Amino acid sequence: MIGRVTVILLGLTLPTAAFTKPLDPLLDGFDDACDYSDALGALLQSSYAFARKEGEIALPAGYEAVFGAPTVKPDNEYLQVTLPVVDGTWRGVPVKEIEIYITELASGFSYQAVIFPTEALKEAEAAFKERGIAAQKKLAAQDDSGFGWDTGFAVIEGAPRYQCDLST
């Protein structure tokens, strides 16, 4: 009887892990000097339209169940768009949300970040700190205009994140 109960309990816990969706294909290139995949670029563009009340969020095919309901919140002169991640990982690290800052009117301001749960700080740092340093060097070399583009791993207000700021 104990063996049967153990098998049943294992069967109840295994499917949860099986539903975790790797976001790696969607985020491919994001940690390599902010090189957005086509799917991520389209998602970000639709989030700008959503925040400005000009359209809807267009979730990439296959990722519909990964994201929760988006929110838009004014933050000084910016709009903060939050796309909660229900159950996804990037490079094996759990992802909490994707954060996007824009201005209300179309401008050259462009900031996005993948936010990790605070309890995944060590995992996120191990996976992204060195990648971020290399990406910042590569991005700085591409910044001919001197805008001061920024990318890399950071911890802001206790939240570990990988960010891209390509503001002009």
Side-chain angles (χ1 to χ4, degrees), residues 3 7 14-15 37 39 55 72 79-80 83 85 90 93 135-136 149 158 163:
V7 169
L14 287 177
S37 69
V72 178
L79 295 174
Q80 177 191 19
L83 297 172
V85 175
W90 184 26
V93 181
Q136 179 59 39
W149 292 339
Q163 58 193 15

Side-chain angles (χ1 to χ4, degrees), residues 36-96:
Y36 305 133
S37 69
D38 290 342
L40 181 59
L43 174 62
L44 294 175
Q45 286 299 318
S46 73
S47 74
Y48 304 158
F50 176 77
R52 294 178 180 131
K53 298 180 174 127
E54 299 167 352
E56 294 298 317
I57 296 275
L59 297 176
Y63 291 94
E64 298 87 354
V66 173
F67 293 101
T71 59
V72 178
K73 179 177 83 171
D75 185 359
N76 295 317
E77 67 268 23
Y78 306 106
L79 295 174
Q80 177 191 19
V81 182
T82 302
L83 297 172
V85 175
V86 176
D87 193 16
T89 62
W90 184 26
R91 297 197 183 279
V93 181
V95 174
K96 178 181 176 186

